[in-house]
């Protein structure tokens, strides 16, 4: 089977940084499914039009496109039940929605102010103009004014991670003894930061940092190069 | 088997309000295990000394005490595997730690300023003095000064619930089609508020409010009376 994952890329095509694309890359590696990761940029909507989606991740399996990270993850687990589960069963899948929702609605919100300028710096010219325009509209101010006090925002981020930290004090992964999709969802945020050379987010003695390193060590060979900051 | 659950109570012994005790009451009902709920008050440490714990919940099964809500829940699921699972399997149990940690460290923090005065109002005299002293030390100010703007705190609480709301837009319970311990942990917070006649916390059209009502409808008969505000 041919399998292609469209992933958000910076000017350097090996700089992949979308947290939603990273989730699916980690999920594909988790399932042991070979794939080609194809770089895609914000403004390349025509290149993606065939899929019916205007944003990534989009996974193409034998020509059939599947869009939206949660839909792709559910598809992968249902279509390949003999490979390691992303959710650990039906209850795990239902419970994982909370980890994903918290990542999307809480963790990302605490992180994005720290990443706007690093992202902008790494985009190609067309994407850079699009990114500034769309994000300045969203935040209602110039990119440079969104995070006037990065140290304070870093403190917010670390405080936001309190419930993740509590879990990782009790067990090595959010999924227990080994990662599940819940880990991949949260880890996507850290690979987003890493992909654009963002600041160090965690104290060295933070249990979340120890977990982040464990997750980095588990990256497939092809992903290690893409994730380098 | 004799089974007694020590539960925090107000001056009125039928007014039970500890969110941690409620989790275990809901868990016992979930497992279909009969028990006697015994009222206990903050300052009755001697009555609990035999258990080795100085706070509730404590569950006594045939004279054997088990303390701390997460320990009790894990015990109930392991000891009664033929009854409905609280976690939906090992992965579900590992994943549920996050719901519990988030409830303890984020949801409760957003809720407690709204409940300090209602709790204080309902305690008996000994507990009232203890409660004021210990909470004023924790907050560093008089009880009456902790929440100068309840409306603003209510807005904080509702915003805090965003990831729960997102899940409940997609499925009827945090556990999926039926409640799991993750639901009981979050519901404990709402029964805490209800138990002390706290303010209405949610808008009528909030998916979290619809879920809260579904959870109330599922309360066992003995619990309904105890939970009335």
């Amino acid at each position: 089977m041919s399998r292609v994952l469209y992933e958000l890329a910076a000017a350097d095509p090996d700089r992949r940084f979308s947290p939603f694309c990273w989730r699916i890359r980690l999920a594909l590696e988790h399932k042991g499914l070979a794939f080609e990761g194809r770089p895609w940029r914000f403004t390349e909507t025509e290149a993606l039009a065939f899929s019916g989606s205007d944003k990534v991740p989009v996974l193409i399996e034998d020509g059939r496109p599947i869009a939206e990270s949660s839909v792709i993850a559910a598809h992968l687990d249902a279509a390949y039940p003999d490979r390691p589960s992303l959710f650990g069963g039906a209850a795990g899948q239902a419970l994982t929605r909370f980890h994903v929702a918290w990542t999307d609605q809480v963790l990302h919100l605490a992180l994005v102010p720290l990443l706007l300028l690093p992202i902008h710096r790494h985009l190609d010219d067309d994407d850079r103009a699009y990114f500034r325009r769309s994000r300045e509209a969203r935040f209602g101010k110039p990119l440079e004014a969104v995070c006037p006090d990065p140290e304070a925002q870093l403190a917010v981020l670390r405080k936001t991670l309190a419930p993740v930290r509590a879990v990782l004090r009790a067990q090595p992964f959010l999924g227990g003894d080994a990662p599940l999709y819940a880990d991949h969802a949260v880890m996507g945020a850290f690979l987003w930061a890493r992909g654009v050379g963002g600041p160090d987010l965690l104290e060295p003695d933070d249990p979340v940092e120890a977990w982040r390193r464990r997750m980095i060590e588990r990256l497939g060979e092809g992903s290690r190069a893409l994730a380098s900051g």
Side-chain angles (χ1 to χ4, degrees), chain A residues 7 45 54 74 76 88 96 98 127 144 148 162 177 183 185 192 196-197 203 207 210 212 221 224:
Chain A
E7 298 176 286
T45 44
D54 61 356
L76 291 176
T96 298
F98 183 63
D127 269 23
E144 289 74 6
D177 292 331
D183 292 90
W192 182 20
V196 295
E203 300 279 5
R212 192 189 69 89
E221 205 177 328
R224 281 172 191 253

Side-chain angles (χ1 to χ4, degrees), chain A residues 98-99 102-103 106-108 110 153-171 174 186 190 201-203 206-209 211:
Chain A
F98 183 63
H99 302 72
W102 177 84
T103 302
V106 181
L107 179 57
H108 284 185
Q153 190 60 34
L154 209 50
V156 167
L157 176 74
R158 289 170 183 173
K159 190 175 170 214
T160 299
L161 286 161
V164 172
R165 190 171 294 121
V167 174
L168 295 174
R169 281 208 177 96
Q171 60 195 31
L174 296 172
V186 177
F190 289 97
L201 300 175
L202 301 166
E203 300 279 5
D206 187 336
V208 185
E209 173 64 6
W211 164 85

Side-chain angles (χ1 to χ4, degrees), chain A residues 21-65:
Chain A
C21 294
W22 270 109
R23 288 178 197 180
I24 298 308
R25 178 170 276 273
L26 296 178
L28 286 162
E29 292 185 350
H30 183 122
K31 300 291 286 186
L33 296 166
F35 66 100
E36 177 207 338
R38 193 169 291 175
W40 176 89
R41 297 186 179 86
F42 283 121
T43 48
E44 295 175 348
T45 44
E46 277 187 33
L48 211 59
F50 77 99
S51 75
S53 177
D54 61 356
K55 53 182 182 294
V56 289
V58 171
L59 180 71
I60 318 288
E61 284 193 324
D62 281 346
R64 188 166 75 97

Side-chain angles (χ1 to χ4, degrees), chain A residues 127-150:
Chain A
D127 269 23
R128 198 174 278 183
Y130 158 81
F131 187 79
R132 178 176 289 280
R133 194 172 60 246
S134 60
R135 270 49 177 182
E136 292 189 344
R138 184 184 301 172
F139 287 95
K141 56 183 83 167
L143 283 188
E144 289 74 6
V146 171
C147 191
D149 187 346

Side-chain angles (χ1 to χ4, degrees), chain A residues 105-118:
Chain A
Q105 303 203 2
V106 181
L107 179 57
H108 284 185
L109 252 58
L111 182 52
V112 72
L114 292 162
L115 299 187
L116 287 174
L117 294 178

